[in-house]
């Protein structure tokens, strides 16, 4: 569920040009929670979800506001997954 939230929130922000700091902070927090949840999954379930979160991370490059930087830091913090 948290992976889907991240996908939809990032897509909305990228397509609509949102400029809402609280929205971005919530997206980064949910991305962190999604990483924690996904990394707890069995290996076979984990990889497809990590691919989806990586796509979210790449999509946020178009958002700005340091969102991608924050997600990159979390990615490394959780074990440099990619």
């Amino acid at each position: 569920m948290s992976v889907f939230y991240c996908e939809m929130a990032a897509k909305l922000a990228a397509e609509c040009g949102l400029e809402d700091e609280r929205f971005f902070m919530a997206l980064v927090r949910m991305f962190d929670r999604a990483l924690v949840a996904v990394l707890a999954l069995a290996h076979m379930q984990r990889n497809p979800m990590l691919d989806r979160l990586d796509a979210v991370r790449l999509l946020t490059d178009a958002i700005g506001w340091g969102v991608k930087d924050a997600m990159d830091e979390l990615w490394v913090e959780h074990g440099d997954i990619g």
Side-chain angles (χ1 to χ4, degrees):
M1 182 68 120
S2 56
V3 173
F4 180 73
Y5 171 90
C6 290
E7 289 170 330
M8 294 299 104
K11 184 177 179 180
L12 175 70
E15 290 180 0
C16 296
L18 287 178
E19 294 192 13
D20 185 336
E21 183 178 2
R22 290 185 297 182
F23 180 89
F24 297 142
M25 288 171 51
L27 174 56
V28 170
R29 280 193 311 270
M30 185 57 73
F31 185 82
D32 185 35
R33 290 179 187 157
L35 274 174
V36 169
V38 166
L39 290 172
L41 295 172
H43 187 67
M44 295 281 291
Q45 295 172 317
R46 182 183 318 151
N47 288 338
M49 293 296 180
L50 285 175
D51 290 343
R52 289 171 62 182
L53 285 174
D54 194 30
V56 167
R57 196 168 59 103
L58 296 174
L59 179 62
T60 59
D61 194 34
I63 295 173
W65 288 72
V67 175
K68 182 165 185 313
D69 292 339
M71 288 183 176
D72 288 346
E73 288 175 20
L74 290 169
W75 196 260
V76 171
E77 198 175 291
H78 287 287
D80 199 11
I81 303 154

